[in-house]
């Protein structure tokens, strides 16, 4: 009877496609939105992830999240280096600076000044050039997205395309010359500003107007103690905030969650997806069952057990659930692949997300099936003789 | 041919042992609703149908024919009285065994055909076998054989919408018989058909359905098919008034 159940379902092409479409749309909303949210969340701390070598971040006590900038005096660096348990500590400048393009437009860019000696905090992946080329005078490294995007050389004439920034090109950074010696790949950040890497000393020159330059002190903790212990000791001794990389990520993320309505906005869409999915597909599936009620009565009269009837309806519901969810998840995967290459937030398709949304769809189809099963089981077989 | 001959000449006799009856109903009553709006559909029906017999149930509209065969076929519970099928009191069986009994031993033909639109003729006719757990391929093959014997050879793959009314009802006849049930109940099997078609359906039914171990109960208004009956039970106002032999 299972095959009969499926043939009944496929036989009603209009309803079948309608139900599938409903589930597909619900799946899309329920996967895409949280996927994007997760992607945005990871972007909020992607810079912390990028800077992998140090494991404690030291900053002004008022800093809330990675994009805050409350610089310290250079002398703080020496105080941190003096704390027990600190293996090494290097400075990092992070701030927004203006790049003027050849057509006069200015582009705000994220300037990173790396410790001159170690270049710690530099990009993990170099596409063109070497990180050590930053030792060349006036040199900078630009991130790939920025080089191809906002920092690309503007078209010479209208109608032509902008040309991506190449090694050897010269930028005007705060009215000073900056020679591009490399192109790097960085994780996407939330601000999606171009990233320009240079040395700490040179960053001071580029950002001439700023008195305090030390945005972060990057610390490598010794291994013989828990990092958290060392971070707390730094705070005690210097009155600066010190967080392990994990803590700092969490802090940045929490800032995002509690200081914006992003969760509520995304959550609302997900809820709408679920409710619409449940309402629309439930309704359509119920209608499908009602249309076939007469035949279910015939099956009943002819000796189909309740258990078989239950199984038939469940099978129909699970099938539309699987197909609809499959199409939805597939569409999202395609979307994520396409968006993955672009600049904005992408969709983060984790197995947890797929599992959760899959369960939500399962819940929808099971609920629909349950209602229909009740209806069919309550049906009097004797109605088969009615005209 | 031989079989038909045998049926026509077989003497109609009352079995001594009620266990030998195909259907044995005593004092069946059934009401719908309650209070002022209560309808007494059956007011104490006694009925006996013997194996090998084709019994027609006739009477004015609303006299309780459909109600009676629903009780006989075990898809409706009577209020009082008892009804035995081949010595077996269905109302004493647990629900699931009763359902299973219907699936194995009873065939149905309805006025409205009730074929499933998205299934082919053979698949429709195979349903009772599928209900009894026979695998699809085997069931469809067996159903196709039966379709051929009701004159639908070559139409096994047709959908109900591609068949005429008479053809659809013959598919339904094949469906009623495919699992070799011991009792076949039909409610107005010909009243949706014109005379010639109705008679062809009845011929198919009589040829294939009637045998020594099986009983047929056919509810009908249709005087044109009375000649197919062994006995005709006349019902009126919820009771059987008289039964005539139709030799
Ligand atoms: N489900 C029901 N609820 C209430 N009353 C019913 C129900 N089914 C039948 N009745 C009533 O019971 C009586 C007998 O109905 P039944 O259908 O058995 O008659 P019938 O002889 O088959 O009639 P017809 O020839 O019109 O099919 C009628 O008065 C009918 O209105
Ligand atoms: Mg009737």
């Amino acid at each position: 009877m299972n095959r009969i159940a499926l043939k009944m379902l496929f036989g009603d092409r209009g309803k079948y496609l309608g139900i599938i479409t409903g589930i597909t749309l619900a799946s899309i909303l329920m996967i895409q939105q949280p996927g994007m949210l997760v992607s945005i969340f990871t972007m909020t701390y992607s810079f912390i992830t990028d800077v992998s070598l140090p494991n404690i971040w030291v900053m002004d006590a008022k800093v809330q999240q990675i994009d805050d900038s409350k610089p310290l005096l250079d002398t703080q660096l020496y105080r941190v280096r003096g704390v027990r348990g600190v293996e090494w500590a290097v400075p990092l400048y992070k701030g927004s600076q203006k790049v003027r393009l050849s057509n006069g437009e200015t582009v705000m860019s994220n300037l990173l000044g790396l410790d001159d000696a170690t270049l710690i905090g530099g990009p993990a992946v170099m596409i063109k050039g070497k990180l050590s080329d930053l030792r060349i005078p006036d040199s900078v490294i630009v991130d790939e997205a920025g080089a191809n995007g906002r920092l690309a050389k503007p078209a010479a004439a209208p109608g032509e395309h902008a040309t991506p920034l190449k090694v050897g090109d010269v930028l005007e950074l705060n009215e000073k010359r900056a020679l591009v010696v490399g192109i790097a790949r960085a994780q996407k950040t939330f601000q999606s500003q171009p990233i320009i890497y240079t040395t700490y000393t040179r960053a001071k020159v580029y950002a001439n107007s700023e008195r305090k330059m030390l945005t972060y002190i990057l610390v490598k903790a010794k291994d013989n103690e828990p990092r958290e212990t060392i971070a707390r000791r730094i705070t005690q001794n210097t009155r600066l905030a010190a967080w392990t990389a994990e803590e700092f990520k969490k802090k940045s993320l929490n800032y995002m969650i509690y200081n914006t309505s992003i969760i509520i906005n995304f959550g609302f869409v997900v809820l709408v997806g679920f409710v619409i999915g449940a309402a629309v597909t439930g309704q359509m599936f119920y209608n499908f069952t009602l249309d076939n009620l007469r035949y279910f009565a015939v099956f009943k009269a002819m000796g189909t057990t309740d258990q078989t009837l239950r199984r038939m309806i469940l099978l129909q519901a699970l099938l539309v659930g699987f197909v609809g969810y499959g199409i939805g998840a597939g569409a999202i995967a395609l979307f994520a692949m396409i968006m993955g290459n672009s600049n904005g937030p992408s969709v983060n398709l984790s197995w947890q997300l797929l599992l959760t949304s899959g369960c939500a769809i399962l819940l929808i189809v099971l609920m629909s099936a349950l209602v229909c099963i009740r209806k069919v089981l309550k049906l009097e077989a004797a109605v088969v003789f009615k005209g | 041919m031989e079989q038909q001959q045998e049926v026509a000449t077989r003497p109609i006799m009352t079995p001594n042992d009620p266990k030998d009856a195909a259907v044995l109903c005593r004092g069946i009553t059934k009401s719908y609703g309650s209070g002022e709006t209560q309808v007494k559909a059956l007011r104490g029906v006694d009925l006996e149908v013997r194996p090998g017999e084709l019994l027609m149930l006739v009477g004015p509209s609303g006299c309780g024919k459909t109600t009676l065969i629903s009780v006989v076929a075990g898809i409706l519970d009577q209020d009082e009285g008892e009804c035995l099928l081949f010595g077996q009191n269905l109302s004493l069986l647990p629900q699931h065994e009763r359902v299973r009994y219907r699936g194995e031993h009873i065939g149905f033909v309805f006025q409205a055909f009730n074929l499933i639109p998205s299934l082919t003729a053979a698949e429709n006719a195979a349903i009772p076998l599928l209900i009894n757990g026979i695998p699809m391929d085997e069931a469809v093959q067996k159903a196709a054989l039966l379709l051929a014997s009701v004159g639908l050879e070559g139409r096994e793959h047709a959908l109900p919408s591609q068949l005429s009314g008479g053809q659809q009802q013959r598919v339904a006849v094949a469906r009623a018989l495919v699992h070799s049930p011991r009792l076949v109940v039909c409610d107005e099997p010909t009243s949706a058909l014109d005379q010639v078609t109705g008679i062809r359906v009845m011929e198919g039914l009589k040829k294939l359905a009637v045998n020594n171990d099986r009983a047929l109960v056919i509810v009908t208004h249709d005087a044109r098919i009375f000649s197919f009956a062994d006995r005709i039970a006349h019902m009126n106002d919820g009771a059987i008034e008289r039964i005539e032999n139709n030799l």
Side-chain angles (χ1 to χ4, degrees):
Chain A
M1 294 304 279
N2 293 347
R3 273 169 73 180
I4 297 294
L6 294 183
K7 286 192 171 213
M8 284 167 75
L9 183 64
F10 302 146
D12 193 345
R13 186 124 333 153
K15 286 233 170 44
Y16 175 62
L17 294 181
I19 300 170
I20 297 276
T21 310
I23 294 189
T24 301
L25 290 179
S27 315
I28 286 179
L29 289 180
M30 286 192 290
I31 301 170
Q32 195 259 353
Q33 293 291 313
M36 198 159 225
L37 188 63
V38 171
S39 162
I40 288 176
F41 281 165
T42 22
M43 278 165 71
T44 61
Y45 55 68
S46 60
F47 181 63
I48 309 174
T49 312
D50 258 1
V51 179
S52 56
L53 211 48
N55 42 32
I56 294 176
W57 291 63
V58 182
M59 66 208 82
D60 186 274
K62 290 191 211 72
V63 169
Q64 303 268 5
Q65 44 123 354
I66 181 72
D67 288 324
D68 266 1
S69 192
K70 304 222 165 46
L72 315 167
L73 287 169
D74 277 359
T75 47
Q76 300 285 21
L77 178 61
Y78 306 107
R79 295 184 60 201
V80 171
R81 280 179 179 157
V83 175
R84 186 161 52 85
V86 171
E87 190 168 330
W88 48 252
V90 294
L92 180 79
Y93 169 77
K94 183 170 181 293
S96 273
Q97 297 298 338
K98 284 197 271 309
V99 174
R100 187 178 299 279
L101 301 180
S102 62
N103 63 358
E105 239 178 78
T106 51
V107 175
M108 290 311 288
S109 300
N110 213 333
L111 181 65
L112 292 176
L114 315 176
D115 175 48
D116 292 52
T118 60
L119 297 178
I120 279 167
V125 182
M126 292 295 298
I127 295 172
K128 291 272 164 51
K130 305 188 299 289
L131 187 57
S132 58
D133 290 346
L134 281 183
R135 305 224 160 82
I136 299 170
D138 293 345
S139 63
V140 294
I141 290 172
V142 179
D143 80 308
E144 192 184 17
N148 295 334
R150 299 211 203 162
L151 291 182
K153 277 183 285 187
E160 283 175 32
H161 289 293
T163 29
L165 214 53
K166 293 187 310 294
V167 170
D169 286 341
V170 173
L171 287 174
E172 191 191 317
L173 183 52
N174 257 353
E175 291 158 18
K176 293 183 190 70
R177 187 182 115 97
L179 172 68
V180 178
V181 296
I183 307 289
R185 179 167 300 153
Q187 290 199 33
K188 286 182 201 166
T189 64
F190 191 48
Q191 298 176 322
S192 70
Q193 282 186 355
I195 303 173
I196 298 176
Y197 300 90
T198 189
T199 60
Y200 185 71
T201 314
R202 206 171 302 128
K204 281 183 172 175
V205 178
Y206 285 129
N208 49 6
S209 56
E210 295 173 25
R211 194 171 60 86
K212 295 174 175 179
M213 284 292 294
L214 187 55
T215 322
Y216 292 106
I217 299 168
L218 305 180
V219 172
K220 174 80 164 66
K222 284 182 180 155
D223 283 338
N224 54 4
E225 269 178 297
R227 284 171 210 164
E228 288 76 12
T229 315
I230 298 173
R232 299 301 93 82
R233 189 180 301 138
I234 294 173
T235 303
Q236 253 181 10
N237 294 4
T238 63
R239 294 177 187 275
L240 299 173
W243 308 107
T244 68
E246 288 314 310
E247 286 171 338
F248 193 30
K249 280 184 194 178
K250 207 173 282 171
K251 196 172 156 70
S252 297
L253 189 58
N254 283 343
Y255 179 83
M256 181 80 156
I257 292 173
Y258 294 115
N259 290 279
T260 67
S261 53
I262 191 161
I263 288 261
I264 293 175
N265 289 331
F266 277 77
F268 183 71
V269 177
V270 172
L271 193 73
V272 166
F274 183 82
V275 170
I276 289 188
V280 170
T281 55
Q283 177 67 34
M284 276 194 282
F285 191 73
Y286 187 65
N287 279 345
F288 166 76
T289 306
L290 285 189
D291 284 353
N292 285 291
L293 216 51
R294 168 156 214 97
Y295 305 116
F296 281 117
V298 170
F299 292 149
K300 259 182 126 155
M302 288 184 168
T304 307
T305 55
D306 286 358
Q307 198 190 340
T308 304
L309 290 169
R310 242 182 243 129
R311 206 181 53 221
M312 288 172 75
I313 295 171
L314 214 54
L315 187 69
Q316 290 170 335
L318 287 178
L319 185 104
V320 290
F322 265 112
V323 174
Y325 180 75
I327 296 174
I332 297 290
L334 211 70
F335 174 80
M337 255 165 59
I338 295 165
M339 289 300 284
N341 301 328
S342 78
N343 216 348
S346 172
V347 174
N348 194 314
L349 277 185
S350 61
W351 65 267
Q352 291 94 333
L353 175 59
L354 289 176
L355 187 73
T356 315
S357 52
C359 287
I361 293 290
L362 192 66
L363 189 69
I364 290 177
V365 296
L366 286 184
M367 282 187 326
S368 315
L370 219 65
V371 175
C372 294
I373 286 172
R374 263 178 63 102
K375 180 85 187 166
V376 168
L377 293 191
K378 274 197 343 214
L379 187 66
E380 278 277 4
V383 303
V384 285
F385 285 130
K386 297 281 179 292
Chain B
M1 237 359 230
E2 268 172 18
Q3 200 186 14
Q4 234 171 336
Q5 207 70 35
E6 190 196 337
V7 170
T9 57
R10 188 170 37 80
I12 307 295
M13 43 157 214
T14 318
N16 321 332
D17 187 352
K19 282 225 174 349
D20 292 342
V23 178
L24 187 64
C25 293
R26 291 282 171 257
I28 303 289
T29 66
K30 174 73 188 175
S31 306
Y32 293 108
S34 59
E36 297 236 320
T37 57
Q38 195 183 42
V39 179
K40 287 204 160 81
L42 299 177
R43 304 166 177 270
V45 172
D46 298 333
L47 177 69
E48 186 176 332
V49 187
R50 290 155 235 163
E53 176 176 44
L54 194 163
L55 179 117
M56 277 191 194
L57 206 52
V58 304
S61 182
C63 70
K65 305 181 294 292
T66 298
T67 306
L68 179 57
I69 59 163
S70 302
V71 170
V72 166
I75 55 178
L76 191 66
D77 290 321
Q78 69 269 35
D79 296 336
E80 294 165 335
E82 60 172 20
C83 188
L84 307 182
L85 286 193
F86 299 93
Q88 174 84 262
N89 189 342
L90 290 199
S91 40
L92 298 184
L93 292 180
Q95 176 66 18
H96 66 277
E97 276 181 43
R98 214 161 120 190
V99 171
R100 202 148 278 150
Y101 186 95
R102 285 206 303 267
E104 279 175 35
H105 299 301
I106 304 182
F108 292 87
V109 180
F110 313 99
Q111 175 175 359
F113 317 147
N114 285 338
L115 300 178
I116 289 136
S118 51
L119 302 185
T120 65
E123 286 162 350
N124 265 297
I127 283 175
L129 294 175
L130 300 175
I131 289 174
N132 284 302
I134 312 268
M136 186 77 157
D137 294 343
E138 194 185 330
V140 168
Q141 246 170 34
K142 196 159 175 212
L145 284 180
L146 218 67
L147 284 178
S149 54
V150 293
L152 288 175
E153 196 162 3
R155 305 295 283 154
E156 300 86 353
H157 301 297
L159 294 175
S161 57
Q162 299 163 331
L163 298 172
S164 71
Q167 288 174 324
Q168 290 187 52
Q169 195 61 308
R170 278 183 279 153
V171 174
V173 167
R175 179 177 62 182
L177 300 175
V178 72
H179 53 310
S180 310
R182 301 176 73 183
L183 174 70
V184 177
V185 294
C186 313
D187 197 9
E188 313 270 10
T190 61
S191 56
L193 306 173
D194 63 57
Q195 171 156 7
V196 181
T197 320
I199 287 184
R200 287 199 54 195
V201 167
M202 280 308 296
E203 279 167 356
L205 198 55
K206 181 122 190 174
K207 177 180 124 204
L208 289 170
V210 177
N211 70 39
N212 281 332
D213 305 317
R214 181 181 295 151
L216 266 75
V217 179
I218 300 180
V219 167
T220 187
H221 273 120
D222 188 353
R224 302 166 305 188
I225 64 168
F226 286 176
S227 58
F228 288 93
D230 295 320
R231 288 193 303 156
I232 300 179
H234 293 267
M235 265 190 97
N236 198 6
D237 197 17
I240 292 179
E241 284 189 327
R242 65 196 160 88
I243 298 184
E244 60 181 337
N245 285 340
N246 192 27
L247 288 170

